[in-house]
Structure formats: structure tokens, C-alpha cells
Amino acid sequence: SYSSDINALSTKDIEILAQAYYKLALTQSKLAHDSNDFNDKKMYYTNSLINIAESEKLAIRPSVLKEYSNTRLLITKKAQPFLD
């Protein structure tokens, strides 16, 4: 079981956690994309953006942070019509 204190985690565990948030964000973005319901799209895109931001906060390596940031920009662009 993991500690809720991020500082107690190893670098490897933080990278795994960041990747988990990233994959969750991608899944939520896909659910939003595939949904035909406006409110569902809004909910999934909102959650996706929250989780991609978490992954960025946890990213340790610059190349990974860049990938997460670029993905956030793409999700933000796709989500914009549903978040205004």
C-alpha cells in the first residue's frame, strides 16, 4: 500500500503514479470523444484535464513532462467546446 505522502515515495513509484494519472487522463479523454452526450463529454474531459495536470505535477524527467504537457494541450483543444 502506498503512503498518501508523496515525499515518502521512491522516484520509481512517483514515475509509476504519474504514468497512472496520464493513462487515466487518456482513457477519460477517449470516453469523452466516444460519448454522444454533451454532459458526459464535459464530465470526462474535465476529469481528464484534472488527471493530466496531476501527471504533470508528478513528472520527474523533462522528456516525460514535455509529453504530458503536449497531451494536456491536445486534450484542452478537444475539450474546449464542452467546457465553455
Side-chain angles (χ1 to χ4, degrees):
S1 112
Y2 284 110
S3 168
S4 59
D5 179 13
I6 243 7
N7 297 319
L9 297 177
S10 70
T11 299
K12 179 85 172 144
D13 287 341
I14 293 171
E15 288 177 335
I16 291 168
L17 186 58
Q19 187 174 37
Y21 274 112
Y22 178 70
K23 294 207 179 217
L24 179 58
L26 291 178
T27 300
Q28 291 167 324
S29 181
K30 173 85 167 102
L31 287 167
H33 178 267
D34 292 350
S35 177
N36 293 319
D37 182 81
F38 181 90
N39 290 322
D40 284 349
K41 283 183 178 289
K42 183 175 182 166
M43 176 189 66
Y44 287 131
Y45 276 131
T46 298
N47 290 337
S48 178
L49 289 168
I50 289 167
N51 286 310
I52 197 74
E54 266 317 298
S55 70
E56 285 180 277
K57 281 196 271 184
L58 294 169
I60 295 171
R61 289 181 283 148
S63 62
V64 172
L65 176 57
K66 184 174 181 178
E67 177 186 354
Y68 293 172
S69 296
N70 288 340
T71 301
R72 181 180 44 80
L73 292 174
L74 291 171
I75 293 171
T76 300
K77 187 175 179 182
K78 288 182 178 273
Q80 206 58 56
F82 305 98
L83 302 180
D84 289 338

